[in-house]
Amino acid sequence: MNLPNKLTVLRVILIPFFVLSLMIFDGERILFRYLAAAIFIVASLTDMLDGKIARKYNLVTNFGKFMDPLADKLLVCSALICLVELGQLPAWMVILIVSREFIISGFRLVAAEQGIVIAASYWGKFKTTFQMIAVILMIVKLPVLWLLTEACTWIALILTIVSLVDYIMKNHKVLTEGRM
C-alpha cells in the first residue's frame, strides 16, 4: 500500500463524511456546507496528487489503476446525487453525466480484456476539473457566484458530452474490430 494508493483510499473514506456534512439539516446550515466543500476539495486534491506521485516515482499499481477512477466516480457521483436531492441540480444532467461514466467504464473493460489500456483524454480531464469546480460552487451556494456556478455547470455538461464523443471516436475499434 504505497502513498498514491493510500490517497485513493482516503478519498473513498472521505465520501460518507462529505455526504453527511452536505445532507445534514437538508443542506440548510452554511457551516456544514462549508465543511462539505472543504472535504470535497481535500478529496479532489488527493485525486490530482495520487496520480502525479504514482507517475513521478513509478508507483503505479493495478490497485491504483482500478481504484483511482472508481474513487473519482464515487466522489463526483455522490456529490451530484446529493445536489439533485437538495434541488440544486436537475436530475437529467446527472443522468447524462453518470451515463457517460458507465459508457467509458464499459469501453475500458472491453479494452482491458483485449490487453488495451485506454488513457484518460484531455477532454476528460477538463470535464473532471469543471465538474469539481461546479460542485464546489454549488455546495458553497453563494448568491454572488450564481452566474459563475451556472457557467461552470453548463461547461461541465458540454465537456461531458464532448469527451464522450471524443472517447468513442478514438476508441470505436475496440468494439467494432475487437482490437485497435
Side-chain angles (χ1 to χ4, degrees), residues 9-102:
V9 170
L10 174 62
R11 188 161 59 257
V12 173
I13 291 169
L14 287 174
I15 293 169
F17 295 99
F18 160 73
V19 170
L20 182 62
S21 298
L22 183 58
M23 299 307 294
I24 197 162
F25 305 113
D26 291 327
E28 292 302 318
R29 295 273 174 95
I30 195 70
L31 177 65
F32 286 100
R33 276 188 171 266
Y34 288 158
L35 177 60
I39 294 169
F40 188 85
I41 290 167
V42 168
S44 297
L45 290 174
T46 67
D47 178 31
M48 287 184 352
L49 216 59
D50 65 7
K52 286 181 191 260
I53 293 170
R55 285 184 296 277
K56 183 174 181 177
Y57 296 103
N58 197 26
L59 297 172
V60 176
T61 64
N62 286 335
F63 176 84
K65 288 179 194 175
F66 171 74
M67 276 305 295
D68 181 62
L70 182 60
D72 299 343
K73 287 170 183 44
L74 287 171
L75 176 64
V76 172
C77 289
S78 296
L80 296 174
I81 291 166
C82 287
L83 291 165
V84 168
E85 176 70 19
L86 294 171
Q88 288 185 249
L89 199 57
W92 68 266
M93 276 189 177
V94 176
I95 291 167
L96 280 175
I97 292 168
V98 171
S99 295
R100 182 248 184 229
E101 299 305 329
F102 275 108

Side-chain angles (χ1 to χ4, degrees), residues 153-166:
T153 302
W154 282 100
I155 291 170
L157 183 66
I158 291 165
L159 288 173
T160 295
I161 295 164
V162 168
S163 67
L164 174 63
V165 170
D166 178 64

